[in-house]
Amino acid sequence: MEDQELLKLVKKNRKKRFLKSTGLNLFLVLAVLSGILLGVGKYFNYGIFASDAKVAGLPNEQLRYQYTPFSEISTLFYTTSGSYAFNHYGKNANLKMTVYQYGEKTHEEIIGPSQEDEEKRNLAGYVTLGLRNGDSTAEFPDGIIDYAITISGASNRGTIKASDYGLEKNNGITAYSMGVGAFNPNIKTALFSKERYTFKNNNEIPLLTMGGDEMKFGAAPYEEFYADTPWVMMITLEFF
């Protein structure tokens, strides 16, 4: 009788230890998973880490490019188009238009809302660009760009005509590049993504580059690279 009671007691203790061990292991697994999910959420600005000052799903100091697929309607208006999103912790983010003629900077203008502050802060932004089609007889577009930009709630939109900045109408645009070019030394492709790019402060990132005769594409310093090119217009993002 005593042996049976002792056996029952041993089994009962074993069961308690098993349940305790299982509960502890389950707690540790849940704690690790919660830590991983919180880490991923913080890195990608999801969940409790999301805010109006950040683009959800995009890590800090990264730029995301998304090619805009053409519909039957959009092809009537644009040769190419694309959109960008970014998260930046800094003092400033500008959308800028620059024109080079044989390497000389002939025009420079901030075309988006300037977000400059003495103190660093979170800046989230979206940029959409569209290069319009030329007329029905033109082989290349006429160099008319529609743009829209929003940075931390401030927005601006407008149209740029290349003919207003030195492009001869009879030459037109013979080459253009939309998107973040692989030749740009200021950025690097983010891990596990072909559409996200990391950047650093004091960088100028071309979003759209276009030109006329003898057009080519390359990296800064642009005054040197485009020294033999008659006309180049660049739409860039700057981060400070």
Side-chain angles (χ1 to χ4, degrees):
M1 186 69 179
E2 293 181 354
D3 291 341
Q4 291 180 351
E5 290 180 353
L6 180 62
L7 183 61
K8 288 181 180 180
L9 182 62
V10 170
K11 289 183 178 180
K12 186 176 181 180
N13 288 335
R14 287 178 178 176
K15 185 176 181 180
K16 286 183 178 180
R17 287 198 299 268
F18 174 77
L19 292 175
K20 184 177 180 180
S21 176
T22 302
L24 180 61
N25 290 336
L26 182 60
F27 173 79
L28 291 175
V29 170
L30 291 176
V32 171
L33 289 177
S34 298
I36 292 174
L37 290 175
L38 285 173
V40 171
K42 183 177 181 179
Y43 181 73
F44 284 98
N45 294 306
Y46 276 131
I48 61 174
F49 302 101
S51 70
D52 294 337
K54 294 184 177 182
V55 177
L58 184 64
N60 298 331
E61 308 310 313
Q62 287 197 15
L63 172 75
R64 180 176 63 212
Y65 168 67
Q66 181 175 350
Y67 170 75
T68 304
F70 291 137
S71 65
E72 293 182 0
I73 295 178
S74 66
T75 54
L76 297 176
F77 299 100
Y78 295 110
T79 297
T80 185
S81 60
S83 60
Y84 305 82
F86 64 84
N87 281 327
H88 173 51
Y89 181 73
K91 296 181 179 181
N92 200 4
N94 285 329
L95 184 66
K96 188 175 71 172
M97 181 261 288
T98 309
V99 176
Y100 297 92
Q101 290 183 276
Y102 289 104
E104 180 183 355
K105 188 183 295 183
T106 59
H107 188 84
E108 187 176 45
E109 179 182 350
I110 294 176
I111 59 176
S114 180
Q115 294 288 317
E116 188 167 4
D117 202 321
E118 293 182 357
E119 300 293 332
K120 289 185 176 182
R121 58 194 176 113
N122 289 316
L123 295 171
Y126 300 90
V127 179
T128 301
L129 299 172
L131 181 58
R132 288 191 199 176
N133 286 326
D135 58 48
S136 58
T137 61
E139 183 178 359
F140 297 101
D142 293 333
I144 300 177
I145 304 169
D146 292 321
Y147 68 89
I149 176 173
T150 299
I151 303 178
S152 297
S155 60
N156 189 26
R157 63 176 60 233
T159 299
I160 300 170
K161 297 181 180 180
S163 58
D164 293 339
Y165 300 95
L167 177 68
E168 297 180 7
K169 291 184 178 180
N170 59 332
N171 287 340
I173 300 299
T174 58
Y176 56 86
S177 174
M178 174 78 76
V180 181
F183 53 78
N184 193 326
N186 295 333
I187 59 174
K188 294 182 179 180
T189 304
L191 292 176
F192 312 113
S193 175
K194 295 182 179 180
E195 296 180 346
R196 291 188 289 107
Y197 303 86
T198 60
F199 59 82
K200 296 181 180 179
N201 278 349
N202 303 316
N203 277 340
E204 185 176 11
I205 302 175
L207 307 183
L208 172 61
T209 304
M210 62 183 190
D213 296 338
E214 303 176 28
M215 180 61 193
K216 57 184 179 179
F217 301 98
Y222 300 112
E223 289 86 348
E224 296 180 9
F225 187 85
Y226 293 120
D228 299 325
T229 307
W231 187 94
V232 177
M233 176 179 283
M234 302 179 69
I235 307 296
T236 60
L237 265 175
E238 288 184 309
F239 298 98
F240 301 97

